[in-house]
Amino acid sequence: MGGINVFKIFTENKNPVRENLVHKPNTHRNGFRRSLFHHLRRLVSGNKIDGGSRTVEEDKVYSWLYTLAQSAKDLVFEYVRSTERGLSFTEAEKRLKENGPNIPFQHTYPSWWQLLWNAFLHPFNIILIVLSALSYIASDSPNGCIMLVLVFISVSLRFYQEYSSSKAAMKLSEFVRCPVKVQRCAGRVVQNELLVQVDQRDIVPGDIVIVEPGDLFPGDVRLLTSKQLVVNQSSLTGEFGTTEKTADIREDQSTPLLDLKNICFMGTSVISGGGTGLVVSAGSKTYMSTMFSNIGKQKPPDDFEKGIQKISYVLVVIMIIMSTFIVLVDYFTSNDLTKSILFGISIASALTPQMLPLIINTSLAKGALAMAKDQCIVKSLAAIRDMGSMDILCIDKTGTLTMNCAMMVNHFDSWGLPKEEVLHFGFLNAYFKTEQKYPLDDAILAYVYTNGYRFQPSKWTKIDEIPFDFARRRVSVILEREWTKKEKTRIVITKGALEEVLKACSFVEHVDTGEITTFSTEDQIRILNMEEELSNDGLRVIGVAMKRLDMQIGSRQAAYDNSVECDMIFLGLISFFDPPKDSAKQALWHLAEKGVKAKVLTGDSLSLAIRICKEVGIRTTHVVTGPELELLSHDSFHETVKRATVLARLTPTQKLRVVQSLQSVGEHVVGFLGDGVNDSLAIDAANVGISVDSGASIAKDLADIILLEKDLNVLVAGVERGRLTFANTMKYIKMSVVANIGSILSLLVATLLLKFEPLTPPQLLTQNFLYNVGQIAIPWDKMEEDYVKTPQKWSLKGLAIFIFWNGPVCSLFDISNLLFIWFYYGADFRERDPEFVRAAWFVEGLLMQTLIIHLIRTEKIPFIQEVASWPVICSTVVISAIGIAIPYTPIGSVMGFRSLPLSYYGFLVVLFAGYFTVGQIVKRIYILVYKTWL
């Protein structure tokens, strides 16, 4: 965070004071060299994300804010070129034109036609379109039309998904549409100060803003004055609670950025108190803008998408080589160039797994419908497939692992012993309190009622109430009880933050004698140590105190203020806990069984996170906090993230870096479950972003999956369906490529031997069409239980090896079929009966391609140890029957087939028995060598 970064933010508006502060000799030159080296290094490294370092934009913001936090107020005015009276209207308008509207970041989103064009420009779509055009040229309009329909489905689905996700960042406008009180100055001779209402979009650096309870800070603000100012920063930190801010302090570099007392950040809100502040950063230069600068940008393609692209390129090369070679071979045998070209086009079409887009999208849509029944909305279909590959699930603790409510645990006196009196007075305070009811009050009442205590609140009468505020952080009720007509007791009961309750106490009850003694320093240290121990166990603690009041003579009631909260008797502590969900431990255990490791990424305290993780079974041997991560080097950061299971007190950008580190360095497929604004960056960056229906709007918009119920068991089912979807997709890809390549190699050999085409172009396209229709049932196939127990990832190398092992098996039996026809039937293939050969090749080839799914879909012996689902069985039977029947129909006669003798079908039974036997042997050897199948 050197000075050069502070300077770079304001290159447009140079300031001599600022330049003297931050510049050193040759800084510009050295900065240029570092910048050049940085860009070269990024090019060499392949632009991999470095999760351990801040971006250049973040460094600029950090340096600027730290400089202002450490500077005196008069120097701060110099830095932003403002005055104690504020900006003039003319100067403010000028700056607004120079800097643009005050929105968190400026990002140009692609138009709808750009997204449509990007969806269209996919290698597989180009292949299908080219083949469709060639099919029309070859007078095969039905096949060309089918391929165009498949392209339309693929492009439409991708366009819809990308168009929806690109609009998510627009939700940030919710932060910038409200009026702000601003101090401006006006007058030509004498400058007069004026308070005006300005839309937040029109705020500029240098403006002086006045904030009150409920206001949002319109930019990053350096406080000028403050009065009991309490701010809610949960939108940035994710940690429940409030932060006190003060103008009368000068911070140092060791303070974490979000803990700076004199800096308030855009998007945070005022809870209580008020003050004035100088806007030092607005628009895209705020801390919030660095958080959301990546939203709306396209994610890099995952391994599956990259694998599909590479397959497309390989298929193009194979099609060009094979089609060209077969065209040349056919031409030299037939001397008919037009006929040979049409045959080559048919070969290219047969090589393409034309149903791949439909198979993938049907599998994903089927999974989405199944997850919808489990109260889960799938916005991005590809996320289902990614869930099957997910091996790490990052979880935001609150509301996900826990019930997001307070449950009372225990009540202690000042010596740490359970005491009913503490609960009694705490209950009376919660019972009679009427203003600003909090979950802790409900927890106390529920504890008393469910445990059978009889405190008889009806015998007490409420006289007055001193409500809670964030300056005192306690609440008091004044109660009166009538013992007899002449004897009454009036007391004040106070409960709240322990430190604040202790400030109001002067006495404490002795543990042994029960006498009221003076509250000593030793008592305070003992009580604070007790609180620390409870906090380390993940419990939230409040204090309870009381004192008797003098009765007002001649009047039953009197008005009280907070001056009554003094010289009180400290009674004890009440502890609370946000309990884990009953389903969380079971769900995490099931995820671990399936190879998905859980990591907790939370903005809450480390002690609370550890307590929850122990309750739900997450290991806590390796834990770390956000401030500790900030101090680590790049390598240490990645190593720590890899080992840690609990990461607490994380800022939103730190959550993002953790996810990116796991993805880029650990090469994991990461899911992130969160529901707050502070989780949005991590949700957007994760391979599978998950939010809940009650989450923040932007979190839901960026998520791929939205849970209607905060139940991790839904994710367990989603992982299983993701792996089933992945498996069925891989079945089709491997089976289709193996069958198609094997078939084309067989056609090449047959063409060389027969000196004529084993199938005419219409016959080959009809065979290919029937085979493709038969594969529509694959998304409804089932999968072996062992397969869904481990994460599944795409491997192009594994696919190539799979084809190398299994492709020749198909070709071997295709050639065996050819040799059987040649030698058994003794036909003179060069001069007579090509219709018989083509009919036999058509039937055998179609049966081979239809039955291969049963061999590939399982590691076990097909039809004996494992049977496919009934839709796949029905599809196999129907397509096989159609293929066998065609040569006997008028359609077969038109296509150039003739009927086949029954003896040939007897041979096919033997042929396919041999194929399944040899295929199963090859399968077992392959599994022994590579320890996997699909």
Side-chain angles (χ1 to χ4, degrees):
M1 290 183 285
I4 181 65
N5 291 327
V6 181
F7 167 74
K8 285 183 179 178
I9 306 177
F10 298 94
T11 52
E12 300 90 348
N13 302 306
K14 294 183 179 180
N15 186 311
V17 177
R18 185 183 303 114
E19 291 185 34
N20 291 333
L21 171 71
V22 300
H23 278 192
K24 296 179 181 179
N26 296 325
T27 299
H28 181 74
R29 183 186 304 172
N30 295 336
F32 173 76
R33 290 176 181 173
R34 285 195 297 269
S35 177
L36 179 61
F37 176 74
H38 171 75
H39 286 292
L40 289 174
R41 184 173 63 183
R42 283 178 63 87
L43 288 173
V44 173
S45 64
N47 291 327
K48 282 193 175 182
I49 298 170
D50 185 357
S53 62
R54 289 194 293 264
T55 64
V56 175
E57 291 76 13
E58 287 179 291
D59 272 337
K60 292 177 182 178
V61 172
Y62 272 62
S63 299
W64 176 238
L65 293 178
Y66 271 112
T67 300
L68 297 173
Q70 298 171 50
S71 303
K73 297 177 184 177
D74 55 348
L75 200 55
V76 173
F77 281 110
E78 291 286 340
Y79 292 160
V80 297
R81 296 182 294 113
S82 185
T83 68
E84 294 181 359
R85 292 189 177 91
L87 298 176
S88 66
F89 288 92
T90 303
E91 177 64 20
E93 185 176 352
K94 176 184 175 183
R95 294 190 183 190
L96 183 61
K97 289 180 180 179
E98 291 175 351
N99 300 323
N102 178 31
I103 57 177
F105 66 93
Q106 293 181 346
H107 176 70
T108 303
Y109 295 95
S111 61
W112 67 268
W113 61 267
Q114 288 176 314
L115 291 173
L116 183 61
W117 180 251
N118 291 335
F120 175 78
L121 283 179
H122 187 277
F124 197 83
N125 293 334
I126 301 301
I127 293 174
L128 289 179
I129 289 173
V130 171
L131 291 177
S132 176
L134 295 176
S135 296
Y136 279 108
I137 294 174
S139 300
D140 183 36
S141 299
N143 198 51
C145 182
I146 290 172
M147 286 187 278
L148 287 179
V149 170
L150 297 177
V151 170
F152 175 78
I153 294 173
S154 175
V155 172
S156 299
L157 288 174
R158 184 177 176 187
F159 168 73
Y160 174 76
Q161 293 169 7
E162 293 188 357
Y163 181 70
S164 299
S165 63
S166 69
K167 297 190 299 181
M170 298 304 292
K171 288 295 180 180
L172 288 175
S173 60
E174 295 175 1
F175 290 105
V176 295
R177 295 187 183 277
C178 59
V180 180
K181 290 183 181 178
V182 179
Q183 178 178 300
R184 296 268 172 89
C185 59
R188 295 184 178 180
V189 180
V190 179
Q191 294 284 307
N192 297 316
E193 300 172 5
L194 300 174
L195 288 181
V196 294
Q197 293 271 7
V198 176
D199 187 84
Q200 189 164 352
R201 297 172 65 92
D202 298 331
I203 295 295
V204 295
D207 269 331
I208 295 177
V209 296
I210 295 88
V211 291
E212 299 172 344
D215 289 342
L216 287 172
F217 284 97
D220 291 341
V221 172
R222 168 63 156 87
L223 290 176
L224 301 175
T225 64
S226 61
K227 183 178 180 181
Q228 299 178 343
L229 180 61
V230 179
V231 175
N232 180 5
Q233 295 187 159
S234 61
S235 61
L236 301 182
T237 65
E239 184 174 1
F240 290 113
T242 57
T243 303
E244 295 182 10
K245 299 286 185 177
T246 179
D248 301 325
I249 190 174
R250 291 175 65 176
E251 294 283 7
D252 56 54
Q253 195 79 15
S254 63
T255 306
L257 182 69
L258 293 179
D259 291 341
L260 295 174
K261 295 294 186 182
N262 57 5
I263 299 292
C264 298
F265 300 91
M266 184 179 197
T268 61
S269 59
V270 179
I271 298 298
S272 66
T276 61
L278 180 66
V279 178
V280 296
S281 300
S284 60
K285 295 182 175 66
T286 60
Y287 174 75
M288 171 175 274
S289 72
T290 65
M291 287 176 49
F292 295 105
S293 58
N294 289 323
I295 290 179
K297 296 180 181 178
Q298 185 178 8
K299 294 182 183 181
D302 58 23
D303 289 340
F304 189 89
E305 292 175 343
K306 289 187 289 186
I308 293 296
Q309 291 179 358
K310 290 179 181 178
I311 283 182
S312 302
Y313 299 143
V314 171
L315 285 177
V316 169
V317 173
I318 293 176
M319 279 191 296
I320 293 174
I321 295 174
M322 295 291 293
S323 299
T324 302
F325 188 71
I326 287 180
V327 166
L328 292 175
V329 171
D330 189 70
Y331 173 70
F332 285 118
T333 56
S334 66
N335 294 319
D336 188 340
L337 181 61
T338 301
K339 183 179 178 183
S340 299
I341 291 175
L342 292 178
F343 185 59
I345 293 173
S346 302
I347 292 294
S349 178
L351 264 173
T352 306
Q354 299 171 6
M355 301 298 288
L356 182 58
L358 185 60
I359 294 294
I360 292 175
N361 293 324
T362 302
S363 297
L364 296 176
K366 181 176 177 290
L369 291 174
M371 291 186 71
K373 296 179 181 178
D374 294 329
Q375 299 295 299
C376 184
I377 299 174
V378 179
K379 292 174 56 184
S380 173
L381 294 179
I384 300 176
R385 182 187 65 233
D386 291 335
M387 285 189 74
S389 303
M390 181 176 69
D391 56 355
I392 288 182
L393 176 64
C394 298
I395 308 170
D396 177 40
K397 173 192 70 63
T398 305
T400 305
L401 296 179
T402 64
M403 299 177 66
N404 198 20
C405 67
M407 179 180 291
M408 183 178 157
V409 179
N410 219 324
H411 45 91
F412 303 102
D413 63 11
S414 60
W415 295 85
L417 300 175
K419 192 168 186 178
E420 186 174 312
E421 181 186 34
V422 179
L423 179 60
H424 186 183
F425 284 100
F427 167 79
L428 292 176
N429 181 288
Y431 184 87
F432 286 102
K433 173 187 172 186
T434 56
E435 298 186 28
Q436 298 177 320
K437 280 282 188 180
Y438 287 102
L440 299 185
D441 299 311
D442 296 331
I444 294 174
L445 298 177
Y447 184 87
V448 170
Y449 294 145
T450 56
N451 286 278
Y453 290 97
R454 305 285 183 178
F455 291 140
Q456 299 178 320
S458 60
K459 294 185 177 182
W460 292 88
T461 303
K462 180 180 176 182
I463 303 301
D464 201 358
E465 176 177 346
I466 306 172
F468 177 91
D469 63 61
F470 285 94
R472 294 165 38 253
R473 294 196 297 164
R474 56 183 182 241
V475 59
S476 298
V477 293
I478 292 87
L479 305 179
E480 184 178 284
R481 180 170 181 176
E482 183 176 338
W483 302 95
T484 64
K485 291 185 177 180
K486 295 183 179 181
E487 185 181 0
K488 296 180 181 179
T489 300
R490 185 171 294 184
I491 61 173
V492 55
I493 305 173
T494 300
K495 70 172 171 55
L498 181 61
E499 297 85 352
E500 301 301 326
V501 172
L502 290 176
K503 289 178 183 179
C505 293
S506 300
F507 305 97
V508 66
E509 186 175 358
H510 197 275
V511 65
D512 295 325
T513 64
E515 296 179 355
I516 304 300
T517 59
T518 303
F519 191 73
S520 64
T521 304
E522 291 77 9
D523 291 326
Q524 183 171 5
I525 293 174
R526 183 182 66 253
I527 293 169
L528 291 177
N529 288 337
M530 192 190 315
E531 180 203 25
E532 184 177 358
E533 291 178 5
L534 292 172
S535 297
N536 289 337
D537 287 336
L539 300 179
R540 183 175 178 181
V541 179
I542 63 172
V544 181
M546 63 82 65
K547 80 170 181 178
R548 295 179 182 272
L549 299 176
D550 295 331
M551 297 291 292
Q552 299 290 326
I553 300 174
S555 174
R556 182 175 176 273
Q557 294 196 9
Y560 293 91
D561 57 26
N562 56 21
S563 63
V564 76
E565 298 174 335
C566 65
D567 297 328
M568 304 188 74
I569 303 171
F570 183 78
L571 299 177
L573 313 172
I574 298 179
S575 60
F576 302 87
F577 183 50
D578 184 3
K581 293 182 176 179
D582 295 334
S583 61
K585 186 172 184 178
Q586 179 186 16
L588 290 173
W589 184 77
H590 285 309
L591 287 172
E593 265 193 329
K594 297 183 181 344
V596 181
K597 297 179 181 178
K599 290 180 181 285
V600 174
L601 278 59
T602 179
D604 287 332
S605 66
L606 180 61
S607 59
L608 181 57
I610 290 176
R611 169 70 182 267
I612 293 294
C613 290
K614 287 181 178 179
E615 292 280 343
V616 298
I618 297 177
R619 292 183 179 179
T620 57
T621 51
H622 296 95
V623 299
V624 70
T625 64
E628 291 171 347
L629 288 177
E630 285 291 330
L631 302 176
L632 299 178
S633 64
H634 297 172
D635 294 339
S636 298
F637 177 92
H638 296 308
E639 184 62 29
T640 301
V641 167
K642 177 183 177 181
R643 291 186 293 108
T645 54
V646 182
L647 300 94
R649 295 187 62 199
L650 297 183
T651 65
T653 51
Q654 286 173 332
K655 290 184 179 182
L656 170 65
R657 293 190 194 107
V658 169
V659 170
Q660 291 175 333
S661 174
L662 294 171
Q663 291 172 320
S664 59
V665 179
E667 296 185 351
H668 296 286
V669 178
V670 182
F672 188 94
L673 172 58
D675 58 0
V677 174
N678 58 298
D679 298 318
S680 300
L681 291 178
I683 290 174
D684 185 54
N687 300 90
V688 185
I690 310 166
S691 188
V692 295
D693 187 45
S694 58
S697 179
I698 187 172
K700 290 187 290 186
D701 282 329
L702 293 172
D704 303 305
I705 296 174
I706 298 177
L707 307 182
L708 299 182
E709 295 180 0
K710 292 184 179 181
D711 188 351
L712 290 179
N713 285 302
V714 176
L715 297 183
V716 177
V719 167
E720 293 176 350
R721 292 192 176 94
R723 292 176 184 174
L724 178 61
T725 299
F726 185 92
N728 285 334
T729 303
M730 290 308 300
K731 283 179 193 176
Y732 175 77
I733 292 175
K734 289 186 174 183
M735 178 236 1
S736 180
V737 175
V738 166
N740 289 353
I741 291 180
S743 176
I744 298 307
L745 288 175
S746 303
L747 281 171
L748 175 61
V749 173
T751 303
L752 291 172
L753 292 177
L754 297 175
K755 306 302 182 181
F756 64 81
E757 302 161 350
L759 291 175
T760 64
Q763 293 169 352
L764 180 58
L765 292 174
T766 300
Q767 183 191 65
N768 193 48
F769 172 77
L770 289 173
Y771 158 70
N772 284 330
V773 171
Q775 309 315 311
I776 294 178
I778 288 179
W780 283 267
D781 194 16
K782 58 184 180 179
M783 199 64 207
E784 298 166 16
E785 292 184 3
D786 292 341
Y787 188 86
V788 298
K789 288 183 178 179
T790 56
Q792 305 298 326
K793 295 184 179 181
W794 174 275
S795 173
L796 187 61
K797 180 181 178 181
L799 178 61
I801 294 174
F802 187 90
I803 295 171
F804 178 78
W805 277 70
N806 293 276
V809 177
C810 295
S811 298
L812 174 65
F813 284 88
D814 284 337
I815 302 304
S816 299
N817 174 55
L818 178 64
L819 294 176
F820 172 78
I821 297 172
W822 186 304
F823 290 106
Y824 183 81
Y825 292 105
D828 187 350
F829 300 108
R830 297 184 181 180
E831 297 181 0
R832 71 180 184 87
D833 222 7
E835 291 84 3
F836 173 80
V837 175
R838 286 169 176 160
W841 192 274
F842 176 87
V843 172
E844 185 272 339
L846 180 60
L847 293 179
M848 174 70 73
Q849 291 180 321
T850 303
L851 292 172
I852 192 175
I853 179 61
H854 297 276
L855 180 66
I856 288 181
R857 62 171 296 276
T858 177
E859 297 181 6
K860 301 176 181 179
I861 301 175
F863 303 113
I864 298 175
Q865 294 179 327
E866 174 69 16
V867 180
S869 64
W870 69 265
V872 174
I873 294 292
C874 291
S875 173
T876 300
V877 172
V878 170
I879 297 301
S880 299
I882 293 174
I884 293 172
I886 282 179
Y888 301 94
T889 64
I891 296 177
S893 300
V894 173
M895 293 180 62
F897 294 141
R898 78 173 180 84
S899 58
L900 297 171
L902 292 177
S903 59
Y904 179 70
Y905 293 103
F907 164 73
L908 288 183
V909 172
V910 176
L911 180 75
F912 285 114
Y915 169 71
F916 277 101
T917 301
V918 174
Q920 189 66 25
I921 293 173
V922 171
K923 182 196 300 183
R924 298 312 307 170
I925 297 174
Y926 181 92
I927 293 174
L928 287 174
V929 173
Y930 298 103
K931 311 301 180 185
T932 186
W933 179 238
L934 285 178

